[in-house]
Amino acid sequence: MAVNSTYSTLLKSISPVLSNTTFSQIAHNQGISTVVKKAKKYSQYNSDATLATYNDFFEHLYHSMLKNYRNEYVYKNLIVNKILLGRHSLNTATCFNEFRIGKSVADLVLLNGTSVVYEIKTEYDSPERLLSQVNEYRKTFLNVVIVTHHSVVRKYESFLRENNLDKVGLIYLTSKRTLAEAIGPVEDISALDISYMFKCLRKKEYTKIIKEYFGFLPDVPNTRIFRECLALAKKIDPVDFHLMMFEKLKKRTIREKDQISSPLFPHYLKHIGVCSDFKKEEIERISSFINRKI
């Protein structure tokens, strides 16, 4: 089907249905009516396609987005399918979606044998804030990788060169709709900052680090525990602290690893499954819904 402005507008309006929010609602038997309306609208426009179930709808929508409206979700799902599940495993790797680092929010963070931040810049984005984002990510994790489209990859190669970011990686979505590496990332410890790393941790995580490293916790009221623990953390070598932070973050794993990794779990939902800690019964509700007839 030829792509026209009407279809592009349709994809833009329908595409948010492929999101963590939507499937979290479905997992709790909520928000169904919105999905039903969007599926009917999409099916009417794509009357030449056989869209009998909601699974057919989501599958067709995802492929349409991959071809014609490559938003952030498409890139995230490709990273999860091709890199996290393709090269690694949920038994050895941990993935975070929309992970706050300083004033920035990293699109994806992947922890396997090392730590990697993926910052997505689609064809619709600009590199306006990218330098400040990259500089904050480098203060927290060892590898930073920019992810973009093949049509604009030269622009980001120039960006890295002009800003002397020779250790930042660059991968891109090819015309064959897979991911390719333009520049490999290089581990970089030079910018690690205790304050940034510390603020990525939950209270039970940073207090455990302090207790394990120093043998005690500050005897102060709860209102002062963060400040006192941070002051102690700043006495630790940044590389050592990164390793301790890394070990604590890797323990934030999802429950249903086997179900999410299974080929039976839809490929277009892998990112949502990996980044949403669904319970078994919630996955069953999602499966039950997508197999319904439209």
Side-chain angles (χ1 to χ4, degrees), residues 120-211:
I120 296 164
K121 294 297 177 185
T122 74
E123 302 130 275
Y124 316 109
D125 296 327
S126 78
E128 184 180 351
R129 294 183 55 249
L130 187 54
L131 183 58
S132 62
Q133 291 173 310
V134 168
N135 284 335
E136 290 201 300
Y137 302 158
R138 291 175 61 237
K139 292 179 180 180
T140 310
F141 296 109
L142 299 183
N143 300 272
V144 178
V145 178
I146 298 168
V147 188
T148 192
H149 189 256
H150 69 85
S151 64
V152 292
V153 70
R154 300 297 172 227
K155 175 169 71 175
Y156 289 98
E157 286 178 336
S158 298
F159 168 86
L160 295 179
R161 190 167 52 250
E162 291 164 4
N163 290 284
N164 298 314
L165 296 171
D166 57 321
K167 293 186 178 180
V168 174
L170 177 64
I171 63 177
Y172 60 94
L173 177 59
T174 71
S175 57
K176 294 182 179 179
R177 305 184 191 104
T178 188
L179 296 174
E181 185 176 84
I183 303 171
V186 178
E187 282 197 358
D188 182 10
I189 63 172
S190 65
L192 290 177
D193 185 305
I194 295 288
S195 294
Y196 276 77
M197 292 186 284
F198 189 88
K199 291 172 184 176
C200 289
L201 297 166
R202 297 167 179 164
K203 182 180 177 182
K204 65 179 181 179
E205 294 167 336
Y206 68 69
T207 52
K208 193 166 184 180
I209 287 175
I210 297 301
K211 183 76 178 290

Side-chain angles (χ1 to χ4, degrees), residues 194 197 213 233-244:
I194 295 288
M197 292 186 284
Y213 191 87
K234 288 181 178 179
K235 298 178 181 180
I236 302 173
D237 179 271
V239 176
D240 292 337
F241 191 86
H242 173 272
L243 179 59
M244 291 184 280

Side-chain angles (χ1 to χ4, degrees), residues 22-36:
T22 297
F23 281 86
S24 178
Q25 291 175 334
I26 292 172
H28 294 90
N29 287 326
Q30 299 170 359
I32 305 298
S33 60
T34 300
V35 181
V36 169

Side-chain angles (χ1 to χ4, degrees), residues 10-276:
L10 174 75
L11 286 177
K12 190 173 182 179
S13 67
I14 300 291
S15 62
V17 79
L18 265 177
S19 68
N20 295 60
T21 300
T22 297
F23 281 86
S24 178
Q25 291 175 334
I26 292 172
H28 294 90
N29 287 326
Q30 299 170 359
I32 305 298
S33 60
T34 300
V35 181
V36 169
K37 289 176 184 176
K38 291 195 173 187
K40 286 183 178 178
K41 183 178 180 181
Y42 186 84
S43 297
Q44 287 168 358
Y45 196 96
N46 293 278
S47 56
D48 57 329
T50 303
L51 305 179
T53 65
Y54 287 98
N55 182 63
D56 294 335
F57 158 61
F58 286 120
E59 179 89 35
H60 195 280
L61 172 63
Y62 179 71
H63 283 288
S64 292
M65 290 164 61
L66 192 55
K67 293 177 185 177
N68 308 309
Y69 183 66
R70 291 168 290 273
N71 65 1
E72 197 173 271
Y73 182 81
V74 166
Y75 287 84
K76 287 181 176 181
N77 200 56
L78 282 168
I79 292 168
V80 168
N81 274 289
K82 303 292 186 182
I83 299 176
L84 173 57
L85 300 177
R87 302 178 193 170
H88 307 292
S89 158
L90 288 179
N91 292 318
T92 58
T94 301
C95 187
F96 299 108
N97 179 57
E98 301 292 319
F99 192 87
R100 178 163 291 281
I101 301 172
K103 294 180 180 179
S104 301
V105 178
D107 291 314
L108 283 178
V109 173
L110 178 60
L111 308 178
N112 44 73
T114 186
S115 57
V116 188
V117 178
Y118 292 96
E119 179 59 31
I120 296 164
K121 294 297 177 185
T122 74
E123 302 130 275
Y124 316 109
D125 296 327
S126 78
E128 184 180 351
R129 294 183 55 249
L130 187 54
L131 183 58
S132 62
Q133 291 173 310
V134 168
N135 284 335
E136 290 201 300
Y137 302 158
R138 291 175 61 237
K139 292 179 180 180
T140 310
F141 296 109
L142 299 183
N143 300 272
V144 178
V145 178
I146 298 168
V147 188
T148 192
H149 189 256
H150 69 85
S151 64
V152 292
V153 70
R154 300 297 172 227
K155 175 169 71 175
Y156 289 98
E157 286 178 336
S158 298
F159 168 86
L160 295 179
R161 190 167 52 250
E162 291 164 4
N163 290 284
N164 298 314
L165 296 171
D166 57 321
K167 293 186 178 180
V168 174
L170 177 64
I171 63 177
Y172 60 94
L173 177 59
T174 71
S175 57
K176 294 182 179 179
R177 305 184 191 104
T178 188
L179 296 174
E181 185 176 84
I183 303 171
V186 178
E187 282 197 358
D188 182 10
I189 63 172
S190 65
L192 290 177
D193 185 305
I194 295 288
S195 294
Y196 276 77
M197 292 186 284
F198 189 88
K199 291 172 184 176
C200 289
L201 297 166
R202 297 167 179 164
K203 182 180 177 182
K204 65 179 181 179
E205 294 167 336
Y206 68 69
T207 52
K208 193 166 184 180
I209 287 175
I210 297 301
K211 183 76 178 290
E212 290 171 349
Y213 191 87
F214 292 99
F216 70 92
L217 278 176
D219 185 16
V220 295
N222 280 336
T223 54
R224 290 177 53 197
I225 193 70
F226 176 88
R227 184 172 58 189
E228 296 299 324
C229 284
L230 176 56
L232 285 171
K234 288 181 178 179
K235 298 178 181 180
I236 302 173
D237 179 271
V239 176
D240 292 337
F241 191 86
H242 173 272
L243 179 59
M244 291 184 280
M245 174 198 70
F246 178 88
E247 290 173 346
K248 294 295 180 285
L249 291 177
K250 277 206 73 175
K251 291 180 180 178
R252 298 188 198 175
T253 58
I254 62 173
R255 282 167 280 199
E256 300 299 328
K257 297 177 186 177
D258 290 343
Q259 284 207 58
I260 302 300
S261 300
S262 169
L264 297 177
F265 193 84
H267 73 97
Y268 57 81
L269 285 185
K270 292 294 188 182
H271 166 259
I272 292 171
V274 164
C275 296
S276 303

